[in-house]
Amino acid sequence: MIASIAIAPEHYVSEDTFKQELEHVFKKQWLFIGFRDELANHNDFLTLDIAGFPIVVQNFDGELSALLNICSHRKARLQTAPKGNRPLRCPYHCWSYKAGGRLAGIPANNQEFQLDESQKAALGLKQFAVDTCGNFVFVRVSQDGPSLRAFLGDCFGMLEDFSAHFNDPVHSGRYVWKSNWKLAVETVLEVYHVPGTHPDSFSNLARAECDIISIAPHNLGNTPLLEAPKKWWAGVRKQLKLNQHPTLDEYNHVFIYPNLAIGLTNGSLMSVQTYDPLNREETVLHYRLRMVSTPDGPAREGALKRAVVANFTEFNHTILEEDRIMAESCQLNYAHTATPALLGKCEDRIRLFHDAWRTDNDRANSEGAK
Ligand code: FES
Ligand SMILES: [Fe+2]
C-alpha cells in the first residue's frame, strides 16, 4: 500500500483539539494578514480574528504595529472593520493609541481618572511580532519563534517574486464554511477531487495531476493547465497589454502552513486564500484576487477589464462553492466515524500538511506533560 493515514476524525470535531490549535498553531506560527500596499498610508489598518482572538495591524507614520485589538479601558473592539483608514481610537469612550500600542489620550483624564504617565504606560496594548516578505504582511502572537525569513525558508524568495508581479488587486471577498479549518485547507491541497467535485469548472482549467514539492512545513503543487485556458489568458494579456510571469505558466500552487494558500494561473492571476478558524466547525475563507500588471502599472479600468475580472471572479466563486459543499459534507460525517481517512499519492500534500500539524500537536502534548 502506498496510501498514508490522515489525522484522526476526532481532531476535526474536538473542542480540546481546537483549543490546543489556537494556542500551539495559530498563536505560535506566522499568519498572513494582508498586503503591504493595503497598509501604505498613516492610519491604514487590517484586522484578523482567529477564533475570536482579535489582532490589528496599523500603520503609524510608516511604522507597522501589530496589536491586540481590545481597548484597555472597558475592552471594546478598537478597529471593527476588516480594513480601513482611521486613527486607533476606541469607538466607546474615545481612548486613543499610537505606535507600539502606547496610550495616546484619555478624554477628561484629570476629572475622571487622574492617571499619571507611568500608569498610562502600563495601559498600553499588547504588541505582537509583525514582518513583511515582499508585499505579504505576517503577524505572530507568540513573542518567541523563528524570524519570518527562517519560517518561510525557500518560500521567502517565491513570495517576494509574486509580490513583484501580481500587484493589481481586482477582487476580494469572504465566505463562512461550516467545516473545521483543516478540512477547508485540505480542499485546496489535492486535485484528485477535480473530476468528481468540479466536472464543469476546474476540470476545464487543469488536469488532475500534480507535481508535489515539500518545503516543510510548507508545500508546493504544480498542475498542468489545459490548452483552452492558456489561450484565453494569452488573448486577455494581449488585449489588456499585461505582462506574464516569466516562469509560472501552469497552475502553480503554494501552501504556507498553517492556513495560507496561493494559486497562480498561467502566470497571470494570483488567488490568495486564508482559512481562519471561527470555532471548531466553522471557518472564514478570505480570498484576494490579484492580476499581473502592464509595464506601466495596473491595466486601465474599462469594459474589457471588468468583463475579464467578472469572468474569473465567477469561476472562483463556483469552484469555492463546490469545495464548500464537500468540506461541509465531510465535517458532518467526521462526528460519526473514528476511522481516519486514507490519502492517495495525489493527496500527498495533505499528508505533508498533517505532518506539520502533528509536529505542532506533539510539541503541545510534550509541553503539556512537563
Ligand atoms: S472601552 Fe474603549 S474607551 Fe472605553
Ligand atoms: Fe476544489
Side-chain angles (χ1 to χ4, degrees), residues 71 73-76 90 92-95:
C71 181
H73 176 221
R74 279 172 49 204
K75 318 306 170 190
C90 181
Y92 202 173
H93 314 91
C94 301
W95 283 29

